[in-house]
């Protein structure tokens, strides 16, 4: 019964976070959850029995409705979040694009990263990039607790946007009682493409730890020693080089772990502490830095596996951890937490392929923001409905325990759960069609908007906008 109460309370909170066009927006969320099969178009959703309004009211709600995003974010932070076995709160941050290559009339588009599925060549596509933060569980799962979503604009600095998103999320977690003084620091897990060294510097005053993947051609430095020779002069700032691609520059690791994994075989992890990169002012984030450039130290983790799924050739994996003291690490635990970051990819795939995140052809990015937040609320309702769902499997599917139901299987029976929890939306009022456009009236062509550009590689040490897989 507690699951039913929590789901009903969140639905009421969601309805209260819709100050304008609340009934139409709320029924649109129910139509997404109760549709039979993947969402293929918005007009098809208006034919669902739970959507008691026409398709015109649905488009009007997306165009002129309003969502109190601040209130909805607080409601998401107050829910019970997935945690690891040690109750550690781990949050993955990644970007997923909404491709809009032919939408010349849509503003605020960027060149978003998109991998080519034919030959593996990395490409970009015009669209709206959304950066999502989600809490991770302790084991292999297709569930995450989505906490926030931010659209990155053409004039935004991706690193600064990420730092601000993490600060705001921490403040909401404190307000919701999810994190208190004395609790373990919140761990944020990031993939390559983020300037994790600069993020470490920007968030140095916050109770966070950062764990992310870095390129294998980076060059780090050991702490500087004393100046050699009898001549006076400035003390060195950087010690000996640590070239990730050259094992001859690697000293003995501070910690080393060897274990076996059911998917990767033999796994060897090693870590070195007190390493830092040599920063330069010509790098984007440090151009306007006042005073001497800082020394940002961290711990490097090197991971080597025996094999990869699909008989792919294994490649060494390098991770950066923002805590410089390598002796305080559980190196085996760090790389396992990083693997949990890929659970967010399952969430992206479900949002796009099943709930239809990128299906609508909306013109304005504000409409896209409303649709994205409605789907975040829909995904959250499925997570809360897990204890109430039954395993409505297809004849060719394997049965699953109630605790291992996937989001797709929970959605199959959500129409039954909705009848139990009810709906706060008001029934539509009787009306008649409007007069429509006057005869002979014309409209001016919609303005065209060029695709915006991210900061160039010269201005940004990362490879543009942080990337996320489709």
């Amino acid at each position: 019964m507690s699951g039913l109460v929590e789901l009903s309370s969140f639905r009421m909170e969601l309805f209260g976070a819709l100050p304008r066009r609340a009934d139409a927006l709320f029924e649109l969320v129910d139509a997404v959850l109760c549709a039979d099969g993947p969402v293929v178009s918005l007009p098809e959703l208006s034919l669902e029995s739970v959507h008691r309004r026409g398709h015109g009211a649905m488009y009007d709600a997306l165009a002129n409705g309003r969502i109190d995003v601040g209130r909805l974010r607080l409601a998401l932070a107050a829910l019970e979040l997935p945690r690891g076995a040690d109750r550690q709160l781990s949050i993955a941050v990644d970007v997923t694009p909404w491709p809009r290559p032919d939408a010349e009339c849509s503003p605020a588009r960027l060149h978003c990263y998109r991998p080519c599925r034919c030959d593996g060549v990395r490409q970009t596509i015009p669209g709206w990039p959304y950066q999502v933060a989600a809490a991770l569980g302790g084991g292999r799962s297709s569930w995450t607790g989505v906490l926030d979503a931010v659209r990155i604009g053409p004039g935004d600095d991706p690193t600064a946007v990420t730092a601000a998103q993490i600060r705001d999320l921490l403040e909401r977690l404190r307000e919701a009682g999810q994190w208190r003084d004395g609790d373990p620091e919140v761990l944020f897990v990031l993939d390559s493409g983020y300037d994790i060294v600069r993020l470490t510097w920007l968030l140095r005053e916050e109770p966070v730890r950062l764990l992310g993947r870095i390129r294998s051609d980076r060059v780090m430095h050991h702490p500087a020693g004393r100046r050699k020779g009898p001549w006076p002069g400035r003390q060195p700032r950087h010690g000996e080089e640590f070239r990730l691609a050259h094992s001859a520059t690697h000293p003995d690791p501070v910690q080393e772990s060897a274990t076996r994994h059911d998917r990767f075989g033999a796994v060897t992890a090693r870590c070195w502490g007190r390493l830092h990169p040599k920063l330069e002012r010509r790098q984007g984030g440090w151009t306007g830095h006042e005073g001497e450039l800082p020394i940002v130290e961290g711990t490097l983790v090197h991971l080597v596996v025996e094999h990869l799924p699909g008989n792919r050739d294994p490649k060494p994996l390098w991770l950066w951890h923002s805590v410089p003291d390598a002796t305080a690490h559980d190196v085996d635990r760090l790389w396992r937490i990083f693997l949990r970051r890929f659970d967010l990819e399952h969430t992206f795939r479900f949002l796009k392929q099943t709930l239809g995140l990128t299906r609508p052809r909306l013109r304005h990015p504000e409409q896209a923001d409303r649709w994205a937040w409605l789907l975040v609320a829909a995904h959250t309702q499925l997570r809360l409905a897990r204890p109430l769902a039954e395993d409505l499997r297809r004849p060719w599917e394997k049965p699953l325990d109630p605790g291992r139901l996937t989001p797709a299987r929970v959605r199959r029976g959500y129409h039954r759960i909705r009848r139990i929890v009810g709906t706060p939306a008001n029934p539509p009022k009787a009306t008649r069609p409007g007069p429509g456009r006057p005869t002979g009236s014309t409209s001016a062509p919609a303005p065209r908007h060029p695709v915006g550009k991210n900061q160039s590689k010269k201005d940004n040490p990362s490879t543009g906008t942080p990337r996320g897989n489709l």
Side-chain angles (χ1 to χ4, degrees):
M1 185 60 67
S2 60
L4 184 63
V5 173
E6 191 174 14
L7 175 61
S8 179
S9 299
F10 178 78
R11 286 171 60 85
M12 293 299 297
E13 190 67 20
L14 171 62
F15 187 77
L18 305 174
R20 186 188 302 166
R21 306 294 196 276
D23 298 324
L25 290 175
F26 193 88
E27 290 188 353
L28 179 58
V29 177
D30 280 351
V32 170
L33 293 173
C34 297
D36 187 13
V39 175
V40 295
S41 69
L42 288 182
E44 292 289 337
L45 292 177
S46 65
L47 301 179
E48 296 293 329
S49 59
V50 297
H51 194 281
R52 298 172 291 180
R53 291 160 174 81
H55 64 279
M58 176 186 59
Y59 278 108
D60 175 70
L62 289 175
N64 302 311
R66 183 166 165 250
I67 301 178
D68 189 348
V69 177
R71 180 174 177 178
L72 185 54
R73 282 171 169 157
L74 284 175
L76 293 173
L79 297 174
E80 183 178 357
L81 301 179
R83 294 177 183 262
D86 56 353
R87 304 303 297 168
Q88 167 72 52
L89 187 58
S90 304
I91 299 176
V93 180
D94 205 352
V95 169
T96 185
W98 184 330
R100 299 291 281 134
D102 301 325
E104 297 181 359
C105 299
S106 296
R109 291 184 302 159
L110 286 175
H111 289 286
C112 304
Y113 167 78
R114 185 182 189 183
C116 179
R117 298 301 184 186
C118 52
D119 55 5
V121 178
R122 294 179 177 178
Q123 296 181 350
T124 61
I125 187 171
W128 294 313
Y130 281 87
Q131 184 163 267
V132 178
L136 303 175
R140 187 186 306 173
S141 173
S142 56
W143 291 96
T144 62
V146 181
L147 295 171
D148 194 18
V150 174
R151 177 171 49 84
I152 301 177
D156 294 336
D157 179 3
T159 306
V161 171
T162 304
Q165 185 181 21
I166 291 176
R167 291 193 194 97
D168 295 341
L169 180 55
L170 283 173
E171 186 62 29
R172 293 194 297 272
L173 292 175
R174 287 194 186 98
E175 186 175 348
Q178 300 282 5
W179 188 90
R180 298 180 177 87
D181 294 336
D183 291 347
E185 295 176 329
V186 182
L187 178 63
F188 286 86
V189 188
L190 309 99
D191 200 7
S192 61
Y194 286 89
D195 188 358
I196 192 169
V197 175
R198 185 175 168 224
L199 276 175
T200 301
W201 172 255
L202 294 177
L203 299 171
R204 62 191 182 279
E205 303 295 337
E206 302 292 338
V208 301
R209 292 185 291 131
L210 302 178
L211 177 65
R213 183 157 59 105
I214 60 175
R215 301 190 310 270
S216 60
D217 59 351
R218 296 286 295 268
V219 178
M220 298 293 173
H221 291 265
H222 292 279
R226 301 294 298 175
R227 180 181 175 86
K228 298 180 180 180
W231 302 277
R234 181 179 178 181
Q235 296 296 331
R237 302 190 72 228
H238 310 287
E240 297 180 357
E241 288 186 346
F242 185 104
R243 294 182 174 271
L244 276 61
H246 295 81
S247 59
T249 63
H250 302 172
D252 293 335
V254 178
Q255 287 198 54
E256 185 171 0
S257 171
T259 183
R260 292 199 63 85
H261 193 270
D262 57 349
R263 299 187 66 193
F264 308 118
V267 179
T268 302
R270 301 178 296 169
C271 69
W272 297 265
R274 299 293 176 183
L275 293 172
H276 67 273
K278 183 185 294 185
L279 304 178
E280 299 181 6
R281 289 195 182 276
R282 63 183 177 86
Q283 295 176 343
W286 307 104
T287 303
H289 185 81
E290 298 181 359
E292 193 175 41
L293 293 178
I295 298 294
V296 185
E297 292 185 330
T299 295
L300 281 181
V301 179
H302 184 216
L303 186 66
V304 179
V305 301
E306 182 180 2
H307 56 77
L308 292 175
N311 296 324
R312 293 179 295 169
D313 294 334
K315 297 181 180 180
L317 179 67
W318 288 93
L319 304 177
W320 167 277
H321 193 222
S322 59
V323 178
D325 186 8
T327 60
H329 291 64
D330 184 352
V331 62
D332 185 66
R333 179 173 172 271
L334 281 180
W335 67 264
R336 292 180 184 273
I337 292 178
F338 180 78
L339 291 184
R340 298 277 62 79
R341 190 205 66 82
F342 293 95
D343 295 343
L344 186 57
E345 305 296 338
H346 295 289
T347 300
F348 288 158
R349 187 179 298 111
F350 180 74
L351 288 174
K352 291 183 175 183
Q353 297 182 1
T354 304
L355 300 187
L357 174 62
T358 58
R359 285 291 184 176
R361 296 297 180 257
L362 304 173
R363 174 179 296 184
H364 300 287
E366 294 78 13
Q367 299 173 355
D369 293 346
R370 296 186 189 102
W371 174 249
W373 274 106
L374 292 179
L375 292 195
V376 169
H379 183 270
T380 303
Q381 291 186 56
L382 292 178
R383 180 165 62 89
L384 298 177
R386 289 178 64 187
L388 310 173
E390 298 178 0
D391 186 12
L392 303 179
R393 64 185 182 91
R394 303 290 190 253
W396 54 87
E397 294 176 341
K398 296 181 179 179
L400 294 176
D401 297 333
R404 296 183 57 85
L405 293 180
T406 62
R409 294 203 188 185
V410 175
R411 180 172 175 259
R412 290 174 188 171
Y414 190 82
H415 60 279
R416 178 189 62 84
I417 300 175
R418 181 193 174 275
R419 289 197 297 267
I420 299 175
V421 298
T423 176
N426 301 309
K429 298 179 181 179
T431 184
R432 55 186 178 182
R437 180 177 296 180
T439 304
S441 62
T442 59
S443 59
R448 264 56 177 174
H449 300 274
V451 181
K453 295 182 179 179
N454 291 322
Q455 297 182 3
S456 64
K457 293 183 179 180
K458 180 180 179 181
D459 297 331
N460 191 354
S462 63
T463 56
T465 302
R467 302 191 299 267
N469 296 329
L470 284 175

